[in-house]
């Protein structure tokens, strides 16, 4: 028997809910998330999850709850529902390479006299970004770290995301760009808990202590006066896409006002805008654009980097143990901004393969691998011919230790799309680990051949910025390792 919320959904969703337009207007006014202005069904899907939790039939009843005694607490829950995003360590290889090779060495050289470094990760979600920065700063400063005063602040509108960030415990999905040596060096294993098929990873205390977290809505920056304490580095990545063009300009201007002289601002790949040149100076770096206060000397520091993180699979000399599944994110969002976490209810397929993909990724990023698997399996009944979803099925199966299912899913992805470079590559790694070198070599050779046929700087679909040239290099090294290990 259908309940009142299910009847509302079946009756037509947002269009059939008389209170929805009022709620939508209030959500946008309160959060500034203009992204939902033309996405009624998506917003209503997210609101519907709160209706289900609260046992309410429609948005009119929900508005009464928001205006009632418990309204403040429910607003917090709703804001978390509509903003929680995907995050993983060292996300976007090009930007972390810029941080490692140029931005942080420049700041360390410039602040050597005062030995202070202040960093802000705005819209930090569950904390992977500021913790990645902590790891990077720790490795770059090395033995000099105790002599420095390093402050790293992470802010987000979602209390639930911040609670996860403070706990600093993550599932394998959040570490999927890291090799095993980095996992061992930066994390300790945690035991499996009820409902979790595997244990997770806790960030080591030396990095955890470097970061503190606060709740903040970026919209508040527009009205606030810039504080006296400024930041040397601000990251506000994949957050601005939520806001209207006017709010974006005002937020970026406010962020620029909070930069120390000679500081740096990094935003998402799809977010640069010529209008920002009114307040900030764009700096072209390999694979990305950063911003600095106008008039800043942009020549990079000559200080050599002391650390090279591993956001992609390293090139081993011999056949390695299969590393964590490679990152699975939307290719450069030229046509659709990647609002992470667009996901259906558990057990309910999304309105499109893209929505299902985002749902699965969001669940897996929050450590709910088994739930992500269930949602994907149910969604595949409708979208079983989508090669990317079959690819994600393979990654999740690997994460769950189901290697036979993983191989089958990756082969299905390749049946649907023979040019799927990442699927060829991941299948090759799986076959190498399972002791089938000749089959592994064929799969890796396919990945190499396809990658070599693409523009070297082109980012691979589902590769999180991994270029065709980098993929060819990795596949070539793995093939050499197989050849060397085969009698």
């Amino acid at each position: 028997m259908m309940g009142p919320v299910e009847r509302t959904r079946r009756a037509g969703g947002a269009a059939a809910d008389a209170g929805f337009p009022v709620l939508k207007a209030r959500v946008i006014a309160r959060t500034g998330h203009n992204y939902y202005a033309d996405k009624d069904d998506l917003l209503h899907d997210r609101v519907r999850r709160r209706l289900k939790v609260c046992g309410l039939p429609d948005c009119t009843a929900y508005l009464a709850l928001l205006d009632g005694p418990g309204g403040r607490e429910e607003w917090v829950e709703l804001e978390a529902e509509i903003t929680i995003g995907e995050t993983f360590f060292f996300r976007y290889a090009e930007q972390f390479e810029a941080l490692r090779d140029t931005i942080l060495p420049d700041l360390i050289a410039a602040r050597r006299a005062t030995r202070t470094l202040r960093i802000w990760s705005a819209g930090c979600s569950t904390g992977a970004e500021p913790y990645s920065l902590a790891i990077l700063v720790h490795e770059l400063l090395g033995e000099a770290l105790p002599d420095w005063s390093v402050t790293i602040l992470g802010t987000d509108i979602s209390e639930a995301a911040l609670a996860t960030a403070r706990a600093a415990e993550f599932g394998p999905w959040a570490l999927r760009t890291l090799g095993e040596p980095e996992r061992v060096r930066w994390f300790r294993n945690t035991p499996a808990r009820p409902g979790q098929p595997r244990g997770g990873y806790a960030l080591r205390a030396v990095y955890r202590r470097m970061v503190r977290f606060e709740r903040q809505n970026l919209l508040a920056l527009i009205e606030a006066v810039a504080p006296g304490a400024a930041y040397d580095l601000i990251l506000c990545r994949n957050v601005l896409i939520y806001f209207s063009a006017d709010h974006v300009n005002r937020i970026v201007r406010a962020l620029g006002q909070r930069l120390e002289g000679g500081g740096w601002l990094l935003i998402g790949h799809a977010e640069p805008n010529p209008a920002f040149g009114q307040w900030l100076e764009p700096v072209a770096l390999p694979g990305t654009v950063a911003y600095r206060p106008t008039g800043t000397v942009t020549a990079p520091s000559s200080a050599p980097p002391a650390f090279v993180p591993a956001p992609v699979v390293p090139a081993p000399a011999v056949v390695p143990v299969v590393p964590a599944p490679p990152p699975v994110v939307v290719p450069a969002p030229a046509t659709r901004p990647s609002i992470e976490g667009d996901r259906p209810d558990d057990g309910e397929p999304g309105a499109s393969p893209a929505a299902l993909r985002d749902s699965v990724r969001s669940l897996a990023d929050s450590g709910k691998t088994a739930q992500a698997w269930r949602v994907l399996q149910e969604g595949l009944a409708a979208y079983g011919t989508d090669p990317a979803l079959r690819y994600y099925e393979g990654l999740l199966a690997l994460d769950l230790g189901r290697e036979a299912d993983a191989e089958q899913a990756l082969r299905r992805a390749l049946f649907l799309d023979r040019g799927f470079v990442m699927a060829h590559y991941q299948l090759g790694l799986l076959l190498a680990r399972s002791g089938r070198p000749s089959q592994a070599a064929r799969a890796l050779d396919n990945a190499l051949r396809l990658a070599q046929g693409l523009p070297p700087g082109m980012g691979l679909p589902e590769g999180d910025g991994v270029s065709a040239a980098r993929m060819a290099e990795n596949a070539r090294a793995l093939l050499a390792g197989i050849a060397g290990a085969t009698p």
Side-chain angles (χ1 to χ4, degrees), residues 229-409:
Y231 294 92
D232 301 300
L233 170 63
I234 300 175
L235 283 80
C236 184
R237 305 191 302 165
N238 304 302
V239 180
L240 300 176
I241 47 179
Y242 281 111
F243 296 96
S244 69
D246 177 61
H247 282 158
V248 166
N249 287 336
R250 295 166 72 186
I251 289 171
V252 169
R253 184 176 185 179
L255 293 173
Q257 291 171 343
R258 286 157 176 79
L259 279 178
E260 195 66 81
W264 294 80
L265 170 66
L266 267 182
I267 59 179
H269 281 306
E271 296 169 331
N273 189 311
F276 302 163
Q278 300 174 72
W279 318 290
L280 295 164
E281 179 180 322
V283 182
L285 297 172
T288 192
V289 174
Y291 290 89
R292 309 191 76 177
T294 301
T296 299
V297 177
T298 57
S301 166
S302 60
F307 164 63
V308 180
V312 295
V313 181
V318 296
V319 179
V321 175
V322 177
V328 286
V329 296
V330 185
T335 58
R336 171 189 178 270
S338 177
I339 302 298
E340 314 299 353
D342 295 354
R343 61 190 190 277
D345 287 344
D346 184 14
E348 194 174 301
S352 67
L356 178 57
R357 174 201 61 212
D358 290 347
S359 170
V360 168
R361 286 166 42 205
S362 180
L363 289 168
D365 266 312
S366 62
K368 301 175 183 177
T369 309
Q371 186 178 348
W373 174 263
R374 290 195 300 271
V375 170
L376 178 58
Q377 290 302 309
E378 292 171 1
L380 284 171
Y383 308 120
T385 59
D386 184 88
L389 291 177
R390 290 297 182 183
Y391 175 69
Y392 302 150
E393 181 186 23
L395 297 185
L396 285 173
L398 281 172
D399 206 17
L400 294 167
R402 304 172 65 158
E403 293 193 359
D405 290 334
E407 180 179 347
Q408 183 180 47

Side-chain angles (χ1 to χ4, degrees), residues 15-59:
D17 195 331
F20 176 76
V22 177
L23 177 61
K24 172 184 169 180
R26 289 186 59 182
V27 166
I28 292 175
R30 183 183 177 97
T31 66
H33 289 183
N34 196 64
Y35 169 74
Y36 291 108
D38 60 351
K39 296 176 177 61
D40 286 2
D41 289 340
L42 177 58
L43 179 59
H44 191 266
D45 278 347
R46 295 190 172 209
V47 169
R48 183 162 48 83
R49 295 174 200 135
R50 295 308 307 163
L51 297 182
K52 181 185 291 186
V53 170
C54 299
L56 297 174
D58 53 34
C59 288

Side-chain angles (χ1 to χ4, degrees), residues 120-483:
W120 177 18
S121 170
C124 69
S125 189
T126 53
E129 179 176 276
Y131 284 137
S132 296
L133 291 165
I135 291 169
L136 201 53
V137 170
H138 188 281
E139 298 288 348
L140 284 169
L141 287 175
E143 294 180 358
L145 180 63
D147 300 327
W148 282 67
S149 173
V150 178
T151 300
I152 302 176
L153 172 67
T155 63
D156 201 90
I157 195 173
S158 168
E159 288 283 11
L162 292 173
T164 300
R166 293 186 182 104
E169 293 188 10
F170 301 90
W173 197 261
L175 279 63
R176 62 187 181 268
T177 64
L178 304 183
E180 190 60 25
E182 289 75 29
R183 293 186 184 214
V184 171
R185 188 159 77 247
W186 300 331
F187 299 84
R188 59 178 177 80
N189 287 37
T190 58
R193 296 176 180 174
Q196 294 181 338
R198 288 185 176 182
Y201 298 86
L203 187 69
R204 295 191 182 277
V206 66
Y207 310 115
R208 180 176 175 178
R209 287 194 297 264
M210 295 174 67
V211 184
R212 65 184 178 87
F213 295 94
E214 294 179 2
R215 184 175 184 271
Q216 183 189 65
N217 184 347
L218 284 177
L219 202 60
L221 293 177
I222 293 174
E223 306 299 334
V225 177
Y231 294 92
D232 301 300
L233 170 63
I234 300 175
L235 283 80
C236 184
R237 305 191 302 165
N238 304 302
V239 180
L240 300 176
I241 47 179
Y242 281 111
F243 296 96
S244 69
D246 177 61
H247 282 158
V248 166
N249 287 336
R250 295 166 72 186
I251 289 171
V252 169
R253 184 176 185 179
L255 293 173
Q257 291 171 343
R258 286 157 176 79
L259 279 178
E260 195 66 81
W264 294 80
L265 170 66
L266 267 182
I267 59 179
H269 281 306
E271 296 169 331
N273 189 311
F276 302 163
Q278 300 174 72
W279 318 290
L280 295 164
E281 179 180 322
V283 182
L285 297 172
T288 192
V289 174
Y291 290 89
R292 309 191 76 177
T294 301
T296 299
V297 177
T298 57
S301 166
S302 60
F307 164 63
V308 180
V312 295
V313 181
V318 296
V319 179
V321 175
V322 177
V328 286
V329 296
V330 185
T335 58
R336 171 189 178 270
S338 177
I339 302 298
E340 314 299 353
D342 295 354
R343 61 190 190 277
D345 287 344
D346 184 14
E348 194 174 301
S352 67
L356 178 57
R357 174 201 61 212
D358 290 347
S359 170
V360 168
R361 286 166 42 205
S362 180
L363 289 168
D365 266 312
S366 62
K368 301 175 183 177
T369 309
Q371 186 178 348
W373 174 263
R374 290 195 300 271
V375 170
L376 178 58
Q377 290 302 309
E378 292 171 1
L380 284 171
Y383 308 120
T385 59
D386 184 88
L389 291 177
R390 290 297 182 183
Y391 175 69
Y392 302 150
E393 181 186 23
L395 297 185
L396 285 173
L398 281 172
D399 206 17
L400 294 167
R402 304 172 65 158
E403 293 193 359
D405 290 334
E407 180 179 347
Q408 183 180 47
L410 291 170
R411 290 190 184 280
R412 284 175 175 168
L414 291 169
F415 176 79
L416 294 164
D417 180 3
R418 295 300 301 172
F420 200 154
V421 180
M422 294 304 299
H424 282 293
Y425 182 71
Q426 188 65 35
L427 179 61
L429 290 174
L430 172 58
L431 293 170
R433 185 174 71 176
S434 62
R436 290 178 278 174
S438 61
Q439 294 182 48
R442 283 196 295 272
L444 291 167
D445 186 66
N446 286 333
L448 173 60
R449 176 176 50 81
L450 290 166
Q452 287 177 326
L454 298 171
M458 175 181 172
L460 296 177
E462 321 313 333
D464 183 37
V466 174
S467 67
R470 179 67 65 86
M471 174 53 61
E473 178 183 330
N474 287 347
R476 193 179 296 112
L478 285 165
L479 283 166
I482 290 174

Side-chain angles (χ1 to χ4, degrees), residues 42-96:
L42 177 58
L43 179 59
H44 191 266
D45 278 347
R46 295 190 172 209
V47 169
R48 183 162 48 83
R49 295 174 200 135
R50 295 308 307 163
L51 297 182
K52 181 185 291 186
V53 170
C54 299
L56 297 174
D58 53 34
C59 288
T60 300
Y62 191 56
L63 282 164
L65 172 63
L66 292 172
D67 290 334
R72 180 178 179 181
E73 292 76 12
E74 183 55 31
W75 269 113
V76 170
E77 296 294 335
L78 178 59
E79 288 166 353
E81 187 65 59
I82 67 173
T83 58
I84 190 166
E86 179 187 12
T87 181
F88 52 87
F89 281 80
F90 295 97
R91 184 182 183 195
Y92 292 135
E94 302 95 333
Q95 291 195 328
F96 269 96

